[in-house]
């Protein structure tokens, strides 16, 4: 698989920092491009050191993900089981076996290769942790993180 562009470095760093901090959950949303309802990735801490990561599906995205984007997500290991009440693409990850950097890369690759999110987008992450405030000047965040 191709590498992420250099401008994704701060995004990966921010996602990694959030994963390291282990908040109960977080959502990282990209706003821009042709989307009226923007793409996002999110994470939820489960029990036994498991992390559920999700990438938005057509149920919450407008317009729909392209067939190429869908194929890219499936190729990267994202699974889609709406019949099992998992409305988004998802992966369960054992955090004792996968580094926070690799998890952050999985999430960033979904945005770039699945949804086409590039450096023209603005970003928002919630909830706001102190690490987001410290990294906010590195790239444009939509939300008022510096307040």
């Amino acid at each position: 698989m191709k590498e992420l562009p250099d401008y994704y470095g701060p995004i990966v760093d921010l996602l990694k920092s959030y994963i390291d901090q282990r908040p109960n959950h977080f959502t990282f949303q990209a706003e821009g491009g042709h989307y009226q309802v923007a793409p996002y990735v999110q994470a939820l801490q489960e029990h036994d050191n498991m992390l559920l990561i999700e990438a938005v599906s057509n149920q919450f995205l407008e317009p729909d993900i392209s067939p190429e984007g869908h194929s890219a997500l499936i190729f990267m290991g994202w699974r889609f089981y709406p019949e099992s009440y998992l409305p988004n693409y998802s992966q369960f990850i054992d955090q004792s076996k996968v580094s926070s950097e690799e998890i952050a890369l999985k999430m960033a690759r979904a945005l770039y290769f699945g949804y086409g999110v590039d450096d023209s987008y603005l970003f928002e992450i919630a909830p706001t942790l102190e690490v987001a405030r410290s990294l906010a000047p590195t790239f444009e965040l939509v939300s008022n993180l510096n307040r």
Side-chain angles (χ1 to χ4, degrees):
M1 172 169 283
K2 297 177 186 176
E3 291 297 317
L4 288 169
D6 289 343
Y7 59 80
Y8 256 84
I11 294 169
V12 172
D13 290 345
L14 179 63
L15 293 171
K16 179 185 177 304
S17 296
Y18 264 68
I19 294 163
D20 285 340
Q21 299 250 338
R22 294 185 181 238
N24 187 43
H25 69 280
F26 70 88
T27 301
F28 183 78
Q29 184 165 339
E31 293 186 11
H34 68 285
Y35 294 103
Q36 285 80 47
V37 179
Y40 63 83
V41 292
Q42 59 189 12
L44 174 66
Q45 289 290 333
E46 298 282 344
H47 53 341
D48 297 330
N49 211 27
M50 296 298 289
L51 183 69
L52 169 62
I53 59 172
E54 294 183 338
V56 67
S57 73
N58 290 341
Q59 184 172 342
F60 306 106
L61 184 68
E62 189 179 319
D64 290 351
I65 191 170
S66 69
E68 297 80 15
H70 170 80
S71 295
L73 289 176
I74 299 301
F75 177 78
M76 290 184 287
W78 293 89
R79 299 295 172 247
F80 186 54
Y81 302 110
E83 67 280 357
S84 298
Y85 306 106
L86 291 170
N88 289 322
Y89 296 90
S90 60
Q91 293 188 41
F92 284 94
I93 299 175
D94 183 341
Q95 294 178 94
S96 66
K97 296 180 180 177
V98 180
S99 73
S100 57
E101 181 171 10
E102 187 56 34
I103 298 167
L105 283 167
K106 286 177 186 285
M107 296 174 83
R109 287 177 181 137
L111 289 170
Y112 184 73
F113 294 110
Y115 305 99
V117 172
D118 61 25
D119 59 350
S120 68
Y121 285 66
L122 299 175
F123 303 98
E124 182 173 22
I125 194 162
T128 304
L129 301 179
E130 191 56 40
V131 67
R133 283 185 179 80
S134 68
L135 291 174
T138 311
F139 59 98
E140 283 193 75
L141 289 170
V142 167
S143 61
N144 306 348
L145 296 180
N146 291 319
R147 286 187 180 178

